[in-house]
Amino acid sequence: MARWPGSNLWFEASVVDFNDIEYQVMFKDDAKSEYVVKYRDVKSVEQFQRSRSKSRGRSSSRGRSTGRRKSPGRKSPSRKSPGRPKQIREPVIEIKPVKTVEPEPVPVVIKPRTPSPKPVIRLARADKFAPRTSTPTRQSARIASLAEKHDEVDGQVNNIKPEVKTVTENKVATQTLGSRLCGLTSCVGGCLKSAACAITPSLATVKALIGSLLIVALPFICNELCTKRKCTILELPNMPRKLEVYYDLRAVGIVAAFILMQLLLFLIPIGRKVSLPNGAQVRCNGYVSLVATLSLIPLLMYLDYDVLIVYTLFRQIMATTIALAVLLALALYIRARYIPDDAKNPAGNTGVFLADLFNGRETCPAIRSLDLKFFALRITATMWLMLNVIVVVKDLQTHLGLYSPTLLVACTLQIFYAVDLVWFEESLLTTYEYMKNGCGLFFSVGTFQTPFFLTIFTRLVLNHRTELEWYILSLVVALNLFGYTICRGSNSQKHAFRTNPSDPALAHLESLPTSAGTRLLVSGWWGVMRHPNYIGDILIITSWALLCGFNFALPWVLLGLDVLFIVARTYEVEEACRKKYGLAWNNYTDRVKYRLIPRVF
Ligand code: NDP
């Protein structure tokens, strides 16, 4: 038996975890609520019955109203709380059906959150200050009616009004006019408030609006900040106003042909099958798509097609791809009306349109084996690789075959990363991005704009390069490979562990058990810092920025933005892990103290 935090009510529960001072318990309610409670708030059933029967004996002399107030068996509509488990009445253990206000999911709470003082407490206060003229019996009836009213209307006014009525009839009479005026004022106030609410967007809408505008506009702004003529952040970007600048039928054709080709390649029955969370199976054949798409460039050049049209129509291709991502997000928003509840993303089903569109209502949308997140990753990586190859072709054409080592290194490092994403595409399935984030505007635009956003580094080198000495290039490559080793090593280690924790190759790794059934790695890469893959990513992007030199601020601003995003992401991921793993996550953070840089952060 465990005491429900913040109340005097005891319920059946099972112990999930414990430390020196606290238990983590799971109540036997529908939502299987988990709380952390003190030792004294947990008892075995026999101990509980013994202590309750003793306390009954002692409390027989207490005032009736007090006894009633505290009695867990008292029927009170205020116990509609969604997460409340079946209640035990004393002395007979009786399980009462509890009214629930589902479907609100009850989060797994780590720190005992004292529930807000529910009507029971307010009623107790009202009872205490009630005039002594009334008999305990009448008073109890009033309390019961109060409780009912309170449950119907959530507001203190309802709690207090009847109490005032009982003080004296005269007072009631004199207060009638006042309370009517009060009612009128509150009605007018309420109307004004609802009108204001109707025209004032909620905070969630404002946040989603800002996020959507930023994520859509940022690649266009960066593209105009860094052109062939200049690359500066000190001047406002000269954004073209005419729509034609962003639209070209050829660009639409290129994007459509590319996506269609990727779709066909995605479905070819080559490559190892892996299971998706929806039970469908997907083939890991991204490398086939990559090679097939890449081979188009020499083929088209051989056939005398102008492959550099992709470079010429860069802005239009980017606009078409981003427009397509927005349409995809809208389509997914509508589709989510027909999906089962367990496929929904809790953060994307708030009822606030823009927030839900931005966060995504569904977590892993898939049409049979066509998993959209999986497919989007492949499109991004292949497009990114192709754009970098085009940048190299453009350089060779502009400089009549004289290649630039700095540009070649810059493009090779980005191509290397794109190939890695596709080669290890399976490891996407155990990332936070795949498992927890919704598939909304943030995901679709964020993913589809990545190739255009990241090639800003290589296009800057193409247009404004300073040739770097070979030893500087070597150092940059070394830094990149160092970052890559950390990023790939940690991602693969976690993926292997999540896929098969009893793999003998991972037997040397230490891990912590958790109440969720899975374990947390506390040695290897995940024992050095809590997000080794993120630090690897930061080092990789730093190496790209270094190749642009120190004459331009834009690559460093982009690096700074990415670091900010990654730091924010560590908090987001850890919050989700804390909810999922409870005390075990606290033990992990005690053991692995730093998020990104040992002894620093
Ligand atoms: P991760 O791949 O880092 O996955 C986080 C998940 O890993 C957690 O939710 C948890 O999931 C599991 N996990 C955490 N700690 C441990 C541990 N000690 N032992 C075992 N499992 C653990 O999340 P992301 O989706 O954010 O990252 C995916 C990729 O994207 C990474 O390569 C990252 O570098 C990159 N990325 C890049 C960004 C950028 O701006 N450059 C930003 C964000 C990501 P579980 O429920 O399975 O326990």
Side-chain angles (χ1 to χ4, degrees):
M1 304 299 292
R3 190 208 299 265
W4 186 268
S7 78
N8 260 346
L9 306 175
W10 291 74
F11 302 103
E12 274 186 276
S14 56
V15 174
V16 174
D17 206 347
F18 61 90
N19 64 14
D20 291 344
I21 47 168
E22 293 164 328
Y23 278 118
Q24 182 174 347
V25 293
M26 186 197 284
F27 285 99
K28 294 191 176 167
D29 57 338
D30 291 344
K32 303 221 177 315
S33 312
E34 281 191 34
Y35 282 92
V36 175
V37 295
K38 299 280 175 219
Y39 259 34
R40 63 167 185 269
D41 290 341
V42 176
K43 290 179 183 174
S44 69
V45 176
E46 302 81 52
Q47 215 184 351
F48 174 78
Q49 279 170 347
R50 259 201 320 271
S51 67
R52 299 304 276 183
S53 51
K54 263 193 227 158
S55 76
R56 259 192 100 240
R58 271 203 312 269
S59 67
S60 56
S61 61
R62 278 195 211 155
R64 275 169 72 186
S65 61
T66 315
R68 279 186 171 230
R69 240 176 14 234
K70 289 195 175 173
S71 164
R74 207 181 98 208
K75 193 180 172 185
S76 163
S78 65
R79 287 202 194 97
K80 272 188 180 176
S81 163
R84 292 275 167 112
K86 289 165 186 165
Q87 183 190 342
I88 307 297
R89 294 182 75 177
E90 49 168 330
V92 181
I93 297 178
E94 177 193 320
I95 297 173
K96 297 204 78 181
V98 177
K99 292 182 204 164
T100 55
V101 204
E102 286 291 337
E104 206 175 275
V106 177
V108 175
V109 182
I110 304 314
K111 290 273 168 207
R113 239 187 246 163
T114 311
S116 56
K118 287 283 175 193
V120 179
I121 292 167
R122 284 196 206 139
L123 286 169
R125 235 195 287 143
D127 182 34
K128 190 173 163 191
F129 296 115
R132 291 285 164 218
T133 47
S134 53
T135 65
T137 320
R138 274 168 57 201
Q139 190 156 317
S140 307
R142 226 178 30 249
I143 290 168
S145 82
L146 267 177
E148 266 160 29
K149 280 196 176 178
H150 195 287
D151 215 31
E152 279 162 26
V153 187
D154 187 23
Q156 265 187 329
V157 178
N158 287 287
N159 233 358
I160 294 160
K161 253 193 204 164
E163 208 51 63
V164 173
K165 236 179 182 177
T166 60
V167 176
T168 147
E169 293 297 318
N170 287 343
K171 267 194 179 173
V172 171
T174 48
Q175 281 180 357
T176 310
L177 183 64
S179 57
R180 275 193 190 156
L181 277 173
C182 241
L184 189 69
T185 323
S186 67
C187 173
V188 172
C191 292
L192 285 175
K193 203 173 160 191
S194 352
C197 281
I199 53 168
T200 315
S202 67
L203 187 64
T205 305
V206 174
K207 270 161 71 180
L209 186 69
I210 295 174
S212 309
L213 289 177
L214 266 181
I215 202 157
V216 171
L218 211 56
F220 292 102
I221 293 174
C222 291
N223 192 46
E224 300 311 326
L225 280 176
C226 197
T227 62
K228 196 172 177 187
R229 229 169 17 86
K230 61 179 173 57
C231 186
T232 175
I233 54 161
L234 299 177
E235 290 173 24
L236 282 176
N238 191 11
M239 303 299 287
R241 304 255 157 82
K242 290 186 182 153
L243 201 65
E244 305 91 85
V245 179
Y246 299 103
Y247 169 76
D248 189 294
L249 198 57
R250 290 170 297 171
V252 177
I254 291 170
V255 174
F258 176 78
I259 291 182
L260 196 67
M261 180 178 178
Q262 298 310 312
L263 191 60
L264 292 176
L265 289 168
F266 189 83
L267 299 175
I268 57 167
I270 301 176
R272 204 164 66 82
K273 280 184 177 178
V274 289
S275 296
L276 298 174
N278 69 354
Q281 291 199 314
V282 65
R283 285 193 186 268
C284 294
N285 55 11
Y287 56 93
V288 179
S289 308
L290 213 73
V291 173
T293 318
L294 193 57
S295 59
L296 275 183
I297 294 186
L299 182 71
L300 289 173
M301 283 171 83
Y302 177 75
L303 296 174
D304 245 4
Y305 279 100
D306 180 17
V307 289
L308 287 182
I309 193 168
V310 174
Y311 194 85
T312 319
L313 296 177
F314 189 87
R315 195 190 278 132
Q316 290 87 339
I317 293 179
M318 177 166 71
T320 309
T321 313
I322 291 177
L324 195 76
V326 174
L327 285 179
L328 177 68
L330 282 167
L332 289 174
Y333 180 89
I334 297 168
R335 173 190 134 101
R337 298 174 71 136
Y338 309 103
I339 59 167
D341 280 352
D342 58 354
K344 286 183 179 166
N345 168 29
N349 286 278
T350 58
V352 180
F353 168 71
L354 209 57
D356 293 349
L357 178 72
F358 185 72
N359 292 323
R361 295 172 75 187
E362 198 175 354
T363 310
C364 296
I367 305 162
R368 289 173 179 266
S369 65
L370 180 65
D371 182 283
L372 278 180
K373 280 189 172 172
F374 209 76
F375 185 53
L377 173 87
R378 197 178 285 186
I379 289 198
T380 306
T382 315
M383 204 183 254
W384 185 23
L385 178 137
M386 295 295 276
L387 286 177
N388 273 303
V389 174
I390 299 279
V391 166
V392 176
V393 174
K394 170 79 182 166
D395 188 50
L396 290 176
Q397 208 186 57
T398 317
H399 297 98
L400 303 170
L402 273 178
Y403 75 90
S404 144
T406 308
L407 182 80
L408 214 57
V409 169
C411 290
T412 308
L413 293 185
Q414 290 214 349
I415 289 172
F416 179 60
Y417 197 103
V419 172
D420 169 86
L421 282 182
V422 170
W423 191 262
F424 293 100
E425 60 187 343
E426 186 191 332
S427 63
L428 172 77
L429 299 177
T430 47
T431 60
Y432 175 83
E433 184 63 48
Y434 183 84
M435 295 181 298
K436 298 274 161 46
N437 267 357
C439 205
L441 200 75
F442 180 73
F443 174 81
S444 64
V445 178
T447 308
F448 283 173
Q449 53 105 304
T450 299
F452 304 95
F453 197 67
L454 294 181
T455 39
I456 286 170
F457 290 95
T458 47
R459 284 168 59 226
L460 194 151
V461 178
L462 170 73
N463 292 323
H464 306 274
R465 71 167 158 264
T466 351
E467 286 300 346
L468 300 176
E469 296 292 337
W470 67 267
Y471 58 88
I472 299 182
L473 287 179
S474 313
L475 283 176
V476 172
V477 171
L479 178 71
N480 183 285
L481 291 180
F482 180 54
Y484 173 77
T485 310
I486 300 175
C487 187
R488 175 46 48 214
S490 52
N491 277 333
S492 293
Q493 196 171 67
K494 186 190 61 165
H495 179 69
F497 186 71
R498 278 280 166 264
T499 320
N500 180 13
S502 45
D503 184 349
L506 304 172
H508 63 286
L509 293 175
E510 219 184 313
S511 59
L512 282 180
T514 72
S515 53
T518 48
R519 302 176 75 91
L520 285 167
L521 285 166
V522 278
S523 69
W525 288 113
W526 298 83
V528 182
M529 68 280 270
R530 300 205 291 270
H531 303 276
N533 46 357
Y534 293 172
I535 199 71
D537 252 349
I538 291 175
L539 293 178
I540 291 172
I541 299 169
T542 309
S543 72
W544 298 342
L546 280 171
L547 290 171
C548 299
F550 295 101
N551 292 337
F552 305 99
L554 187 64
W556 300 99
V557 170
L558 295 184
L559 173 66
L561 286 178
D562 194 54
V563 171
L564 280 181
F565 179 66
I566 284 182
V567 169
R569 180 63 161 250
T570 62
Y571 284 91
E572 183 186 332
V573 171
E574 293 205 8
E575 183 57 31
C577 288
R578 196 163 282 120
K579 273 187 185 155
K580 179 173 175 183
Y581 295 121
L583 278 183
W585 184 259
N586 292 349
N587 292 341
Y588 173 56
T589 55
D590 284 349
R591 184 95 182 249
V592 184
K593 290 204 164 18
Y594 298 95
R595 289 169 191 262
L596 290 175
I597 308 172
R599 294 181 187 284
V600 181
F601 175 67

